[in-house]
Amino acid sequence: MASISFEHVSKTYPDGTRVIDGLDLEVGDGELLVLVGPSGCGKSTVLRMLAGLEDLSGGEIRIDGRVVNDLLPQRRNLSMVFQNYALYPHLTVRGNLEFPLKMKGLSRTEIDRRVRETAAMLDLDALLDRRPKALSGGQRQRVAMGRAIAREADAFLMDEPLSNLDARLRVQIRTEIAALQARLGVTTIYVTHDQVEAMTLGQRVAVMRGGRLQQVAPPWEIYQRPSNSFVAGFIGTPGMNLVRAPLDSSNGGLCVRLGDVRLTLTAQALADQPGLADRTGEDVLIGIRPEDICLAEAGATSALTATVRTAESLGHETLLHLDSPLTTVAADAPRRVPHGEPPALIAALRGHHPSRPGDAVRLQLDPADLYFFALDGEAIR
Amino acid sequence: MKASRLGRLGSYLALTGLALLFLAPLAMMLAGSLKPNERVLVEAGTLAAFLPVGASLDNYAAVFERTDFLRFLFNSVFITGTIVAAGLIVNALAAYAFARLQWRGRDLLFNLVLALMILPFEAIAVPLFYGASILGLRDTYIVQILPFIANAFSIYLFYSFFIGLPRELEEAASLDGASTLRIFFAVIVPNSKPAFASVAILSFLTWWGSYLWPLLVTIVPEVRPLPVAIASFYTLPPLQWGDILAFGTLMVMPVLAVFLMFQRWFVRGVASSAIKG
């Protein structure tokens, strides 16, 4: 097992495109860190640089304290599971598992022992003599995992390994990967664009955007204390609503005006985010998680009225896309005035809600559930 | 339904006609090689030319009696086999270097190699002949083999196949601890059988029928291949057409054998664009 660190790592392509910009990241021995971000954010490039498949333009990568910038991939003792699995098509499952062991020059007895153990661990015994083309997607994924495990490498690198599987299998294999990693205790860096995978798998989650690290924290902290509006919008399904609104003083405290509704901030919110007091009288971005919005009870005096744009019933919840008097902005570009229709305010209501486009709904918000960001998107602390 | 059946019948008829057109000379050669000499010319141009009436192996026996056929056959097999075998290794390695490795001047050199494809051999035959003479290589096997091992068209065929292989296979192998050469032999070669079969067949056909260069650089029959030998056989009196056709039939046999051996991969190679474009 090994610890991994990235120090001021950058990557610029010959045409001048900078894909990684000053990355600083530590991955602890035995930790499972998930790198997550939208397509093109540079997360796979980070993994490939660590594997030695891409050169660095600047900075240093260390494995167990040793700089590996100029080390060939063969000499890094890392295992990688690729998005398309990269199984050798001309070899059987056994041949695929044996390949890295033969490259290591292990004895026949040792190779047989490791193949046997890995096959038993991943339930591959019955498939050992099959070629990859005779396997299902899930089986191929397990063989790819097996090839990584059999090597007993210092760390596992996984590049979107579940993205080719159907939704049901993805959930199953995700759980298997988490259990395996916990059992083997191998340092693992897992790259995905799926924030559900990130939240469920990662001991820590690193969110990337445009080649820059946005936040590194345990999943719950990422969800509860996003460092900026991008992270807030990216983590969570559906993403957080962002609304531009003024912060006013109110009876010695602070309140926000959301349309006709005035919400007075709790003492706890003010204590947790002392920076709010400095922004009295200014516009800020208010973050509202869709799941924190609920329908106002009949007779409630302070409720936000909105009109249903579309309604999506998912069975266990109903997503209402709403037109409201609030100034909604996009999470990835909070300063930009949206062209045409502003982003809808999204409410995730538990259970089935028989709303139809054009229906008016009255919504209730709890001030304790609000998130606050400056207009540049940085969280107000 | 009826129209489609008629259409299919029409296309089968057309395909059969085409197949007969291509097979006719071969069938005539085979039939002629089995007939008495005097009937070959008499029946040429008639349907009887395709019928081996009074078949015997006398003409074949005459080929072996009148010429050192086995020697010529060995020369052709040795020269062509060496060119093909060495060419598969050299051209595949060169193509891999062009397709996958990063090195200074790669693109420029690859374009030069591509440009070589349009250069007809006849254009460089004379300077090559002078070079061989200066080096004292005339009347040797080596002069018939060495200039043809590296081949621009073979490199291009391999290149277009390698470039389509998933790069992750090589990346996985390098992380698994394989060196570049090991990756080539353990991963690339086994997954490129169609390309190897295509190149093997095409270069075998090219060099098996090679005539101009061996004629230029050889005088002694001991190192001459079959195409030069059959040309000499024409001029060897008495002129016996049955013997010549038997010689031709014997010459075609190895080509058919090679094609049948690699045909399965060759077809796949063509289908998977190994020789597309």
Side-chain angles (χ1 to χ4, degrees):
Chain A
M1 310 316 121
S3 61
I4 293 164
S5 71
F6 298 82
E7 292 167 19
H8 314 304
V9 170
S10 61
K11 172 78 184 173
T12 308
Y13 284 124
D15 66 358
T17 313
R18 202 168 179 81
V19 285
I20 302 295
D21 193 3
L23 175 75
D24 289 299
L25 183 63
E26 297 273 344
V27 188
D29 192 352
E31 182 183 8
L32 196 168
L33 178 107
V34 177
L35 268 177
V36 67
S39 296
C41 72
K43 54 193 187 299
S44 287
T45 308
V46 171
L47 208 64
R48 292 174 60 79
M49 287 196 293
L50 171 59
L53 301 172
E54 296 263 4
D55 292 330
L56 279 69
S57 306
E60 281 183 346
I61 296 180
R62 292 172 188 269
I63 299 176
D64 261 346
R66 188 168 64 127
V67 178
V68 295
N69 288 22
D70 298 323
L71 220 55
L72 289 169
Q74 292 89 331
R75 306 235 171 271
R76 298 193 184 197
N77 199 27
L78 302 171
S79 286
M80 190 154 169
V81 178
F82 291 82
Q83 187 173 358
N84 63 2
Y85 317 130
L87 299 179
Y88 307 121
H90 61 296
L91 298 178
T92 58
V93 170
R94 187 193 303 280
N96 270 278
L97 298 180
E98 283 179 350
F99 188 86
L101 308 179
K102 284 181 180 165
M103 294 300 120
K104 265 188 163 180
L106 299 183
S107 70
R108 190 68 244 175
T109 329
E110 179 63 9
I111 290 175
D112 287 343
R113 182 187 69 78
R114 289 207 200 174
V115 168
R116 217 173 30 247
E117 283 179 8
T118 309
M121 193 187 300
L122 294 168
D123 204 14
L124 294 170
D125 309 75
L127 309 175
L128 283 175
D129 296 320
R130 285 204 207 162
R131 292 274 171 92
K133 68 178 175 190
L135 302 177
S136 68
Q139 288 168 335
R140 285 179 200 184
Q141 212 288 331
R142 289 218 303 278
V143 177
M145 284 291 297
R147 194 169 63 183
I149 290 169
R151 271 195 65 194
E152 296 181 3
D154 288 339
F156 290 164
L157 315 181
M158 301 196 185
D159 191 3
E160 309 213 21
L162 305 184
S163 57
N164 286 346
L165 303 178
D166 62 56
R168 196 171 162 184
L169 204 53
R170 208 178 302 166
V171 174
Q172 183 196 327
I173 305 258
R174 195 172 73 202
T175 321
E176 287 177 16
I177 289 177
L180 261 176
Q181 200 278 337
R183 182 171 155 195
L184 300 170
V186 183
T187 312
T188 303
I189 301 185
Y190 186 106
V191 161
T192 181
H193 64 268
D194 182 338
Q195 49 97 11
V196 177
E197 267 173 40
M199 296 297 280
T200 50
L201 272 175
Q203 291 162 6
R204 283 191 308 152
V205 176
V207 184
M208 289 190 70
R209 179 199 187 194
R212 284 172 175 268
L213 205 54
Q214 303 293 305
Q215 187 173 6
V216 189
W220 182 242
E221 191 179 325
I222 291 259
Y223 182 81
Q224 282 293 70
R225 290 176 63 79
S227 64
N228 57 42
S229 61
F230 172 78
V231 176
F234 191 76
I235 300 293
T237 310
M240 184 186 280
N241 297 294
L242 281 176
V243 173
R244 186 173 171 150
L247 198 59
D248 292 335
S249 57
S250 157
N251 301 330
L254 286 174
C255 71
V256 282
R257 264 188 287 129
L258 294 172
D260 297 333
V261 180
R262 284 170 70 90
L263 293 174
T264 305
L265 302 193
T266 60
Q268 185 65 47
L270 293 174
D272 287 348
Q273 297 152 108
L276 282 173
D278 303 334
R279 296 184 183 264
T280 311
E282 292 178 20
D283 272 7
V284 293
L285 295 177
I286 315 287
I288 309 164
R289 294 252 178 232
E291 54 273 29
D292 291 335
I293 302 176
C294 52
L295 293 179
E297 287 165 14
T301 51
S302 176
L304 180 69
T305 305
T307 311
V308 175
R309 198 187 282 180
T310 54
E312 297 169 325
S313 177
L314 305 178
H316 69 290
E317 67 178 2
T318 304
L319 300 181
L320 297 184
H321 297 248
L322 303 159
D323 287 318
S324 70
L326 309 182
T327 312
T328 48
V329 295
D332 55 349
R335 279 180 185 279
R336 199 185 306 152
V337 179
H339 292 294
E341 231 176 2
L345 183 75
I346 300 176
L349 306 178
R350 195 174 293 172
H352 178 64
H353 191 268
S355 291
R356 291 162 63 166
D359 286 356
V361 289
R362 296 180 73 234
L363 307 169
Q364 199 162 359
L365 298 167
D366 183 342
D369 293 332
L370 301 182
Y371 297 78
F372 296 91
F373 303 93
L375 291 182
D376 64 1
E378 285 304 306
I380 300 172
R381 300 274 193 239
Chain B
M1 189 73 179
K2 203 171 179 182
S4 78
R5 198 180 287 178
L6 269 178
R8 201 187 304 170
L9 187 71
S11 62
Y12 278 138
L13 279 176
L15 288 171
T16 310
L18 262 179
L20 285 176
L21 196 68
F22 284 108
L23 286 172
L26 276 176
M28 193 176 156
M29 180 175 74
L30 184 63
S33 74
L34 296 166
K35 286 180 192 172
N37 270 303
E38 58 276 10
R39 291 182 59 180
V40 176
L41 274 187
V42 175
E43 291 173 357
T46 68
L47 264 183
F50 299 100
L51 305 171
V53 180
S56 80
L57 293 175
D58 291 351
N59 296 336
Y60 289 89
V63 170
F64 286 98
E65 278 164 22
R66 295 176 62 204
T67 70
D68 194 358
F69 182 83
L70 288 178
R71 178 78 204 188
F72 299 133
L73 178 68
F74 169 79
N75 291 347
S76 270
V77 169
F78 180 70
I79 292 165
T80 312
T82 312
I83 292 175
V84 172
L88 285 179
I89 299 171
V90 169
N91 297 315
L93 279 168
Y96 185 65
F98 284 127
R100 284 294 200 253
L101 307 185
Q102 299 290 331
W103 42 281
R104 195 181 285 263
R106 183 188 69 169
D107 294 345
L108 177 72
L109 203 60
F110 184 59
N111 286 330
L112 276 175
V113 169
L114 289 187
L116 282 179
M117 285 202 300
I118 57 165
L119 206 65
F121 173 71
E122 287 74 7
I124 56 164
V126 172
L128 210 56
F129 173 75
Y130 278 120
S133 301
I134 290 164
L135 292 171
L137 291 175
R138 283 165 62 185
D139 281 326
T140 61
Y141 286 127
I142 204 160
V143 75
Q144 298 179 72
I145 295 169
L146 209 57
F148 309 112
I149 291 175
N151 180 274
F153 188 57
S154 299
I155 292 174
Y156 174 70
L157 289 187
F158 277 123
Y159 175 88
S160 43
F161 193 87
F162 293 159
I163 208 86
L165 286 176
R167 197 180 278 267
E168 288 88 348
L169 281 183
E170 293 149 73
E171 292 176 345
S174 72
L175 278 159
D176 281 345
S179 64
T180 306
L181 261 187
R182 191 72 186 253
I183 291 171
F184 178 77
F185 285 110
V187 177
I188 299 297
V189 173
N191 286 297
S192 307
K193 282 178 191 163
F196 278 85
S198 303
V199 172
I201 289 181
L202 291 175
S203 44
F204 186 89
L205 291 177
T206 306
W207 304 119
W208 185 258
S210 172
Y211 175 71
L212 176 66
W213 181 247
L215 184 71
L216 275 174
V217 293
T218 62
I219 296 170
V220 295
E222 285 77 14
V223 291
R224 285 194 148 177
L226 287 167
V228 183
I230 198 172
S232 309
F233 193 47
Y234 276 112
T235 57
L236 191 71
L239 181 62
Q240 301 280 14
W241 283 107
D243 296 1
I244 291 168
L245 291 177
F247 197 119
T249 307
L250 288 170
M251 203 174 143
V252 167
M253 294 297 184
V255 181
L256 276 177
V258 167
F259 184 79
L260 290 176
M261 207 153 57
F262 292 104
Q263 179 245 16
R264 188 165 57 103
W265 292 321
F266 180 70
V267 172
R268 209 183 306 164
V270 175
S272 62
S273 87
I275 57 171
K276 188 177 68 182

